[in-house]
Structures are given as structure tokens and as C-alpha cells.
Amino acid sequence: MSARKKKITKAERLKQLQEEEERRQKEEEETRVKHEKEEMERLERQRVEREKWHQLEAKDLERRNEELEELYLLEECFPEAEKLKQDTRLLSQWNHYIQCDGSPDPSVSPEINTFISLWKEETNETLEEVIAKSKLVLNLIEKLRLLLLQTPSYDLEDKAIIQYQGSILELQELLHLKFNVATERLLRQASTLADLDSGNMEKVIQDENVTVYVWANLKKNPRYRSVRFSETQIRFEIPRILATSGIAIRLLHTHYDHATPLRPVSASLQGHTATVTHFVKDEVQKGETEISKELQEEYKQQECESVSVCEEETKVEEQGDTEVQMSFVQEESEATKCELEMKLLSEAVFAAQLLLIENANEKPCFCEDNEVDLCQFTTLGGVYHLDIFELPPQCKPMKGWMIVEILKEGLQKYIYPPESTEDFETENAFPPIEVTLEVQENVIFFEDPMVARWDAEGKHWQTDGISNVLYQSEERLITFSLETFGPVTLIQDTHINMPFQSWELRPLDVNKVLLTVTTVFTEIQIQVKENLCMLASVKVDNKKHSSTLEGRWMTPISFILALKETGLNIFPTGHSHFYVVINRKEPLVEIKAYRQLALLSSAFAFGWSKWNVECGSKKVIVKLREHLTEEELVQDPNWTLLMFSGDRAQRLKINENSETFSEALKEETEFHSTLYHLVKDFASKEAMEKIRSSKCQFIDSVCYMLLSTRLLSYS
């Protein structure tokens, strides 16, 4: 038999329950004491941290004025760079004057007007001659464009804007007119240039800026419905009615866009220009008046003193002293005036930089159906001017002479389809014309381009009247059907490469940096040295893409224009935030960050941080590391995170791999009023020496590229 289990008595059970209760109470008490201790420790830590924080804030406030004064001295590089630009513009005018090469100065109204008038009088030019002359005309237009873009807003008067834009329009219109007149002259000789096989005339003239394709239908063969220019892929499929008509087809492919209207200078910019200009002038005049008064008072005082002296020898000595003192006062007043002008120029430059990152409050205009919004889309690859002309009377040989009838009205366009189609039997007598065009080689399309046609009445591009678009990216050909002929162009989304995925700015050499911007489709590397920029490399879908811009040093504005024209647009406008989801930052915080990053760019590498999205609109976060040699790029992969609010900079405790965002200050670091003084705490002597020895033009160019790309808001 198995032993029976001993039965627990009531007293034992009560004792057991009592022991359990005592143990539970003891555990609760221990837990409570532990929690109280932890809470006290937490509160003590918070108190210590608060106290330390207040001490750091107090220390930051105590030295703020001193740090801001030092930053102000460092940022004098921006007005100094602007003065150098002004000198360069004046020197350019002088160099043009002493060259005496016969070309006009487009900024001088009488010179450009004389050039236009004289060219209008030349009425017997060939296409080859017009194309040769077009190089000079395009150069003049480009100079005027750059004058409008490079001249600061505070230095550009409304009168000058109207004059420059008027000259640009006149040159554009006259150039196109010259192409039409030269085309008429060529077509009058079409019968003498006819091809022996087809009996029709075909001519192709190629140039770096323009390509002209002309075909004249001399035979009017109804079976000759496919027009293809030899040694090219350019092709037209024409309907029967055109194949049997005395017509000529011209494709004038201009690698530039003179169809799109010039963008007017915005009202806000004009208002700002006038305000700053008047302010600068008033302040300088005020300063000069004060200086003049000081001089007069000093002179009167010295005069009184000299009159009060009785002896002649003493009077001579006093007069000598007066002259010395007057000279000293004059030098001092000149220095004061120069300092005042520099201060005002610094403020004007800051205001002009602020305009570069200003977001428009509303879209510029409302676009109708099928109208291309030029704030959202960009024309690329130039303009294809497609025209059908009535064949003019042909030259006829007679007794050793060439007799030709010249029509008073000049070259006439053939209207296709005609305004009235009642006289024609079939409904489909005027089908759309199929066109195949070659896409310019140096233009990059990241998606299939759209085709737009020019509406001459509305003065805008629109997408209706175009069908069956087929883009062959490998062959760089685009085929489409066009209801009516006229200028057409290819368009791409302006913001296809925005927002950016990441960016990095790192030093390469003294006064030389490399800016890398990575987007969904491409990686663009830009070198900046002194006052020049260059495209270093382009990768599309992680493969190197060759570009005609690689290795060409240009001024920042010319460089940005050139990149945009090739489809590499990484430069937001004031309206871009309507089309792109951005990480909006306060303009003052953003501009101060760009200016100070440019100051430090000689010795420090900066990069995109994922935490920049988390810190709000009033702060920016970038990653930083000292970078003096190429080896450091590989050996030291560690980055420091900096947070900047415009008036306070700090190092963060977190890093790029942290799981959560925190604004906690890194241990054993302090607040500073500027990024410059923050990095000064841990930078090497060599790095600080590099920063101080950076050229003002280099810093200004780096800052301009940062302002133009707006990396902190568009990444």
C-alpha cells in the first residue's frame, strides 16, 4: 500500500498564507523604494542636465556677439566677390571696346540698333551665309541673356531690362526672317538643283546651332509619298494632295528655343530691385553728406585757430598742421565711406541671395486644356520649325542669262489643311502627316519625351493635334502624326530629378570642391573652383553617360543654363514647390546654412542626413567630417551630425544609424552661434588655416551652387 499524503491543518494553512502576504508586501515595498530611487535619480539627472543646458546657453549668449562679429568679417567675402564681378563686367566692356572686331556691344543701344538696321538691308544672302552670320547673332543674344541673369537685381534698372529684352526679341525675329528669305532664294533655284533620280530637289545644311532640310516637289508624282533626306533618318509621309502639288517642305531645326516667350522679370523682383537701389544710393549720399559736414566743421575749427594766432611764423606752422589734419580727416572719411558702401553691398548681396530661395505664394498663371505649363515642363533639344511653302517661280535660262520672277509678297506658306474643305470630294483628303525626327545627341531624356506644337495665336505650346507618338531611345528617333505644320518641340518634366535622394560636398584641393547630387535616375558630379564650375561626370541608371559639357569650365550661371538645356535640371525655381513634395525650411535658416557651409567647404565634407526631414522647418541637419586628403575618404567613414537653427549650432548625440531621432547634445560639446565656431572646437589647425585662406570668389561660387540646388529643402 502506498503512503497516504499528510493532510495540512488549518493553522498551518493560515501560517502559510500569512508568510505569502508578508513576502508580497516586502516585494511591493522593495519595488516602491526602487522606483522612488530611480525617479529621484532621473529627476536629479534632469536637474543636472537642465543646469548644464542653462550653463551652456548662458555661455553661448555670453560669446554670441563676439562670434557673430567674427562671422561678419568672414562673410565679407561675399561683397568682395561681388565687387570683383562688377570689375569683371566693366573689364569685359573695355576689352570689347579695344578689340575693334566690328561686332557690336549688345548692351549699348545705338550699337545693336545699327547692327540690326544694317543687316536688314542685306537682302540677297544664301542659307550658308545666314547660318554663318547666325553664330554672331546667337552670341549677341547669349550676351544679353547673361547680362539679365548675371547683373544683380539691385544693379539692374527697369530701363535696361526693357532695352535688353527688346534687343533679344528683335534679333530673334530678324534671324528667323533671314532664314525665310534665304529659303526663298534657294527654292527659286530648285529646278537647277534637282536630283537626277527623283527629279525633286533636296538639300541639307548642318551647323553646330542649326540644321536646315529643304525638299522641293518638282515632279508632282502622286506615287512619291515618302520623303526621306539622304544620310539621315528624317522622314515625312505626305498625303496624295501634297504629292501632286507644287510645294516645298522645310525643316529648320534650331538647337536653341526662340519660340518660347522670354520670361518677364517678376514684379516682386522689380520692386525689390528699386527698393534696394534707392536704399543704397540714399545711404551713400547720406554718408557723403555727413562726411562733408565733418570736413567743413574741421576746416572751420582749424581756420578759427589759425586766425587767433598772431605771429606769422606760428600762423605758417598752424596752416601746415591744418593741412596735415585735413588730410587725415579726409582719409578717415574716405575709409568711413568705403566701409559704409561695403556694408550696404553686403546687405544687398544677402537680399539677392534670399531671392534665389524664395518660394512663390501662387502659380504664375492658369493653363487651359492641352496648354503646356512651362513651370512644370521644359522644352529640350531645340525647336523643329516644320513648314510647307508654295513653290516660287523657277529660274529660266535665256541667252546666257537666268530670268526669275520675284514675287512681291515673298515666300508664301501652303495652308494644310485648307480653311475650307468643301471643294474636296473625300472626307479624309487631309490626313495627319507622319513625321520622323532625329533627337539632338547631347540631350538626355529620362522618360519618353512628349511632343508639343506652337500655338501662334495664344503664344504658347500645346499638346493637341499630335498623335501616334513613338520614341526609339536607342536610335534617338521620334515619330508622330501632325494635323498641321508649324514649330514643334520635345518637352520633359522639369522636376523629373526632384526631390534628390542624397548629396555630398567635399574638398578636392585648395579652393576646389566636388558636389555630388544623386536622384532617382542619375548621379551628377560638379566641380567648383574659384569662380568657375564644370560637369565632372554623369551616371544614368548607374552607367557612365558621356556629355559634351564634361571638362568645360564655365561661370556658375552659364553652367546652370547649359545643364538645363541638356536635360540635367537639378535647379528648383520659385514655383517648384507646387510640383514637388519638399522638405520645407525657413528661408533665413536655409540661406545662413548655405553661406556657412560654403565658408567651411575648403576643409570639411558635408552630406545629406536622413534626420533633416525630422527636425522641422526651423532647423537643418547635415553630416560633416574633416576632409583634407583623398585617403581620408576611405579611412574615416565616420560622420558627425550637426544641427543648425540660424542662430545656434550644435553637435548631435545620435548618428545616421540611430533608430530614433533626438536633439540631445553630444557629450562634452557646447552650443555655438555659428557653424564656423562649432567646428572650430574640434577641427585641426590645418583645416582652420585652409578655411581662412579660401578665396572669396570660390566661397561665393560654392554658395551660389548650394542656393541654386537648394539641397536642404529638396532632398
Side-chain angles (χ1 to χ4, degrees):
M1 289 180 64
S2 58
R4 292 183 62 186
K5 196 174 181 180
K6 190 177 178 182
K7 202 171 184 181
I8 299 172
T9 63
K10 189 175 181 181
E12 285 175 337
R13 187 170 182 81
L14 284 170
K15 186 179 178 183
Q16 195 175 23
L17 288 170
Q18 189 176 358
E19 286 174 355
E20 285 178 3
E21 179 65 19
E22 287 175 359
R23 188 165 57 251
R24 186 183 64 79
Q25 287 178 356
K26 186 179 178 183
E27 286 175 357
E28 284 180 356
E29 180 64 17
E30 286 175 353
T31 303
R32 186 185 64 78
V33 170
K34 184 182 177 182
H35 283 167
E36 283 182 358
K37 186 180 178 182
E38 286 176 352
E39 181 65 15
M40 286 177 69
E41 287 174 353
R42 187 182 68 82
L43 291 172
E44 179 62 18
R45 277 198 310 272
Q46 283 185 349
R47 187 191 66 77
V48 171
E49 284 176 5
R50 242 189 337 264
E51 191 175 319
K52 186 180 178 182
W53 187 276
H54 290 317
Q55 286 175 354
L56 291 171
E57 283 184 328
K59 191 175 181 181
D60 178 36
L61 285 171
E62 187 180 337
R63 64 190 174 200
R64 172 161 294 180
N65 288 338
E66 184 184 336
E67 289 186 350
L68 292 177
E69 282 174 13
E70 189 175 355
L71 178 67
Y72 177 78
L73 292 173
L74 289 168
E75 289 189 337
E76 281 186 347
C77 62
F78 295 112
E80 283 173 12
E82 187 54 48
K83 281 190 80 72
L84 287 172
K85 289 179 193 174
Q86 291 173 357
D87 293 342
T88 302
R89 287 194 289 273
L90 291 172
L91 184 62
S92 175
Q93 288 180 340
W94 173 248
N95 286 338
H96 182 274
Y97 176 74
I98 62 175
Q99 271 179 354
C100 298
D101 59 357
S103 64
D105 183 344
S107 64
V108 180
S109 185
E111 288 191 31
I112 195 67
N113 289 340
T114 302
F115 172 80
I116 291 169
S117 299
L118 290 173
W119 197 27
K120 281 180 180 177
E121 293 173 5
E122 297 175 24
T123 56
N124 204 28
E125 294 168 292
T126 63
L127 274 172
E128 288 84 356
E129 288 171 339
V130 173
I131 288 173
K133 190 72 170 276
S134 71
K135 292 178 182 179
L136 172 59
V137 176
L138 293 173
N139 185 39
L140 294 174
I141 291 171
E142 187 63 19
K143 282 182 178 179
L144 288 168
R145 278 180 72 199
L146 290 175
L147 274 172
L148 287 167
L149 291 169
Q150 290 180 342
T151 308
S153 55
Y154 51 81
D155 212 15
L156 194 63
E157 296 180 357
D158 292 347
K159 184 181 176 182
I161 294 170
I162 294 166
Q163 177 197 320
Y164 297 162
Q165 289 188 336
S167 297
I168 289 172
L169 288 172
E170 274 197 84
L171 289 168
Q172 288 177 347
E173 290 170 4
L174 181 56
L175 180 59
H176 194 70
L177 175 65
K178 287 287 182 179
F179 275 116
N180 286 346
V181 173
T183 301
E184 182 186 5
R185 180 181 174 181
L186 174 68
L187 290 176
R188 287 202 299 262
Q189 304 167 9
S191 57
T192 63
L193 302 171
D195 181 65
L196 294 175
D197 294 331
S198 66
N200 297 319
M201 188 212 79
E202 175 191 310
K203 192 171 182 69
V204 179
I205 307 171
Q206 287 187 319
D207 183 71
E208 57 183 321
N209 299 312
V210 181
T211 308
V212 185
Y213 306 85
V214 183
W215 177 80
N217 189 16
L218 299 170
K219 283 294 182 182
K220 304 175 187 175
N221 186 345
R223 289 180 294 180
Y224 198 89
R225 306 272 290 274
S226 182
V227 179
R228 178 171 177 174
F229 289 91
S230 55
E231 299 182 6
T232 73
Q233 297 295 318
I234 304 291
R235 192 178 74 251
F236 299 93
E237 297 295 332
I238 60 175
R240 180 183 177 85
I241 192 165
L242 291 182
T244 57
S245 301
I247 55 106
I249 295 176
R250 183 191 69 180
L251 166 58
L252 172 62
H253 181 199
T254 60
H255 299 178
Y256 49 83
D257 177 7
H258 286 175
T260 305
L262 296 173
R263 292 197 177 185
V265 178
S266 65
S268 62
L269 178 58
Q270 286 181 336
H272 175 81
T273 301
T275 304
V276 172
T277 304
H278 291 316
F279 175 73
V280 171
K281 286 180 179 175
D282 290 346
E283 287 296 315
V284 170
Q285 285 176 359
K286 186 179 173 184
E288 286 177 348
T289 305
E290 288 175 0
I291 290 163
S292 179
K293 283 179 181 177
E294 285 178 9
L295 281 169
Q296 287 175 10
E297 286 173 8
E298 289 285 341
Y299 182 74
K300 282 179 182 176
Q301 187 179 347
Q302 297 299 335
E303 201 174 42
C304 291
E305 287 177 6
S306 65
V307 169
S308 65
V309 178
C310 299
E311 296 181 7
E312 195 168 328
E313 290 179 6
T314 311
K315 188 182 285 187
V316 171
E317 288 176 9
E318 286 293 328
Q319 284 176 351
D321 292 342
T322 302
E323 288 175 6
V324 171
Q325 289 178 13
M326 281 287 288
S327 175
F328 174 74
V329 170
Q330 199 163 2
E331 286 176 9
E332 193 175 355
S333 64
E334 282 295 325
T336 307
K337 180 184 172 184
C338 186
E339 189 179 336
L340 175 63
E341 285 181 349
M342 210 65 177
K343 183 181 178 184
L344 294 173
L345 183 59
S346 178
E347 291 172 1
V349 168
F350 186 86
Q353 289 176 338
L354 198 57
L355 279 174
L356 290 172
I357 59 170
E358 189 177 50
N359 288 330
N361 295 323
E362 54 185 23
K363 289 186 180 182
C365 60
F366 174 75
C367 295
E368 298 177 1
D369 291 343
N370 300 314
E371 182 181 344
V372 176
D373 181 356
L374 289 176
C375 290
Q376 185 177 5
F377 295 96
T378 302
T379 64
L380 286 178
V383 177
Y384 301 86
H385 296 267
L386 297 167
D387 294 294
I388 306 175
F389 296 115
E390 293 179 4
L391 208 55
Q394 295 299 293
C395 296
K396 295 177 182 177
M398 188 176 291
K399 296 180 181 180
W401 294 81
M402 293 298 290
I403 306 298
V404 61
E405 180 188 354
I406 298 177
L407 301 176
K408 187 179 179 181
E409 58 270 17
L411 194 62
Q412 295 296 300
K413 284 194 177 183
Y414 182 94
I415 307 301
Y416 180 90
E419 294 176 1
S420 174
T421 58
E422 294 176 1
D423 300 336
F424 298 91
E425 297 177 1
T426 58
E427 291 183 8
N428 202 23
F430 302 96
I433 300 171
E434 186 179 294
V435 181
T436 299
L437 301 175
E438 293 177 351
V439 177
Q440 203 172 320
E441 288 184 6
N442 64 331
V443 174
I444 301 174
F445 286 99
F446 297 99
E447 292 179 345
D448 289 358
M450 292 186 288
V451 183
R453 66 177 183 86
W454 179 248
D455 181 0
E457 290 183 8
K459 301 292 181 186
H460 58 248
W461 295 102
Q462 55 189 57
T463 54
D464 61 338
I466 299 165
S467 57
N468 304 324
V469 180
L470 173 65
Y471 178 59
Q472 298 166 265
S473 57
E474 293 294 326
E475 295 83 1
R476 296 191 69 78
L477 296 174
I478 189 159
T479 303
F480 54 91
S481 297
L482 197 60
E483 290 180 5
T484 182
F485 267 29
V488 298
T489 190
L490 308 181
I491 58 174
Q492 180 172 258
D493 186 352
T494 303
H495 309 97
I496 196 164
N497 284 311
M498 302 177 208
F500 316 128
Q501 290 188 322
S502 66
W503 61 272
E504 185 180 312
L505 178 72
R506 63 181 174 90
L508 292 177
D509 203 347
V510 180
N511 295 311
K512 190 175 182 180
V513 296
L514 180 71
L515 173 63
T516 304
V517 180
T518 305
T519 74
V520 173
F521 295 101
T522 183
E523 179 190 274
I524 300 171
Q525 290 193 327
I526 299 166
Q527 284 187 22
V528 183
K529 72 170 183 181
E530 296 187 8
N531 62 333
L532 299 171
C533 301
M534 180 193 76
L535 182 64
S537 74
V538 180
K539 286 183 181 176
V540 178
D541 296 329
N542 294 321
K543 294 177 183 176
K544 183 157 175 39
H545 178 88
S546 60
S547 172
T548 55
L549 296 179
E550 286 182 40
R552 288 172 55 192
W553 290 99
M554 293 177 266
T555 58
I557 290 177
S558 298
F559 176 74
I560 289 170
L561 288 175
L563 271 191
K564 285 181 177 180
E565 286 170 2
T566 58
L568 297 170
N569 191 352
I570 52 169
F571 308 100
T573 67
H575 300 97
S576 294
H577 61 285
F578 291 115
Y579 308 100
V580 183
V581 178
I582 68 168
N583 177 24
R584 184 183 170 276
K585 299 295 179 183
E586 290 291 330
L588 280 176
V589 175
E590 198 174 354
I591 192 173
K592 286 180 180 179
Y594 293 142
R595 284 164 69 100
Q596 293 182 40
L597 291 180
L599 279 171
L600 301 170
S601 62
S602 288
F604 287 89
F606 297 93
W608 168 84
S609 170
K610 67 180 182 182
W611 301 119
N612 189 42
V613 182
E614 305 290 335
C615 62
S617 63
K618 295 183 178 179
K619 295 170 186 170
V620 297
I621 294 177
V622 295
K623 57 184 184 182
L624 163 144
R625 68 173 168 209
E626 189 173 304
H627 184 81
L628 300 175
T629 62
E630 283 296 322
E631 288 73 23
E632 290 177 31
L633 185 64
V634 180
Q635 293 174 4
D636 182 20
N638 297 321
W639 293 87
T640 297
L641 289 183
L642 305 184
M643 186 168 73
F644 183 56
S645 65
D647 55 7
R648 175 180 289 175
Q650 68 180 77
R651 295 174 72 180
L652 293 178
K653 190 175 182 179
I654 58 170
N655 57 42
E656 279 296 292
N657 300 319
S658 300
E659 292 183 1
T660 56
F661 175 66
S662 169
E663 293 187 7
L665 187 70
K666 189 178 176 76
E667 295 88 349
E668 298 180 1
T669 64
E670 299 179 351
F671 297 129
H672 283 278
S673 299
T674 74
L675 289 171
Y676 171 79
H677 292 92
L678 179 66
V679 301
K680 198 176 176 182
D681 282 349
F682 58 87
S684 65
K685 287 183 179 179
E686 188 183 353
M688 296 312 295
E689 184 57 37
K690 266 193 166 186
I691 291 167
R692 293 189 195 98
S693 61
S694 298
K695 290 187 177 179
C696 61
Q697 287 178 305
F698 163 74
I699 296 169
D700 182 69
S701 296
V702 173
C703 183
Y704 190 85
M705 290 305 295
L706 294 175
L707 289 164
S708 299
T709 48
R710 297 192 63 185
L711 299 169
L712 296 172
S713 285
Y714 280 80
S715 295

